[in-house]
Amino acid sequence: MSYQGSCHCGAVTFTVTAEPPADAVSCNCSHCRRKGLLLTFVPAAAFTLTSGEEALTEHLFNRHKIRHRFCSACGVQPFAEGETPDGAAIRAINLRTVPSIDLDALTLNKVDGASY
C-alpha cells in the first residue's frame, strides 16, 4: 500500500510506501504551530521524491537537525528530513499535503515542542 502527496502547485510530488496513518502528530513548536503541520514519520527508505527536487529549498531552525523542505514556488512544506535518536534516517510527512488522507478522521497526538 502507498499514498501520494504534493505541494500546492504540484511541482513537488512524493510517494510513501506504507499504510496510510490513522494518527498524526500535532506539535505546538513555533514552526509547526505557524504552518499548521500534521505529521507522520516514516523510514527514509519508504519515501520517494517523485518530482521537484529542483523546486525544493529548506529551512533549518532551533538545533538545525531537521531539514524542513518546501517548494520555492508555492511555499508549501510537504515533508522534512531528519534522524531518529538512534541515527536512522526518517521523513516527516505533512499529512495536509496528502489528498487521500481524511484529516478529520486522524487521532491527533499532541506534542509540546514549544518546551524543547
Side-chain angles (χ1 to χ4, degrees), residues 29-97:
C29 77
S30 61
H31 185 83
C32 291
R33 184 180 66 239
R34 282 176 174 82
K35 288 190 169 185
L37 301 177
L38 293 177
L39 302 171
T40 192
F41 298 86
V42 300
F47 177 87
T48 303
L49 182 64
T50 52
S51 69
E53 177 68 39
E54 69 286 348
L56 285 169
T57 190
E58 69 180 41
H59 174 67
L60 300 169
F61 78 108
N62 195 8
R63 298 180 188 160
H64 293 216
K65 294 190 178 219
I66 300 172
R67 296 174 58 209
H68 298 274
R69 307 293 304 271
F70 62 96
C71 176
S72 59
C74 68
V76 169
Q77 178 183 322
F79 67 96
E81 301 168 331
E83 295 180 349
T84 62
D86 67 359
I90 59 166
R91 299 296 179 262
I93 308 301
N94 178 5
L95 293 174
R96 292 189 183 277
T97 67

Side-chain angles (χ1 to χ4, degrees), residues 6 9 12-14 24 27-28 39 56 58 61-62 64 76 80 82 93 97 100 104 107:
S6 69
C9 72
V12 176
T13 62
F14 64 88
C27 176
N28 69 352
L39 302 171
L56 285 169
E58 69 180 41
F61 78 108
N62 195 8
H64 293 216
V76 169
I93 308 301
T97 67
S100 64
D104 292 330
T107 299

Side-chain angles (χ1 to χ4, degrees), residues 1-20:
M1 172 75 43
S2 66
Y3 55 93
Q4 293 76 39
S6 69
C7 65
H8 188 256
C9 72
V12 176
T13 62
F14 64 88
T15 297
V16 176
T17 305
E19 291 291 326

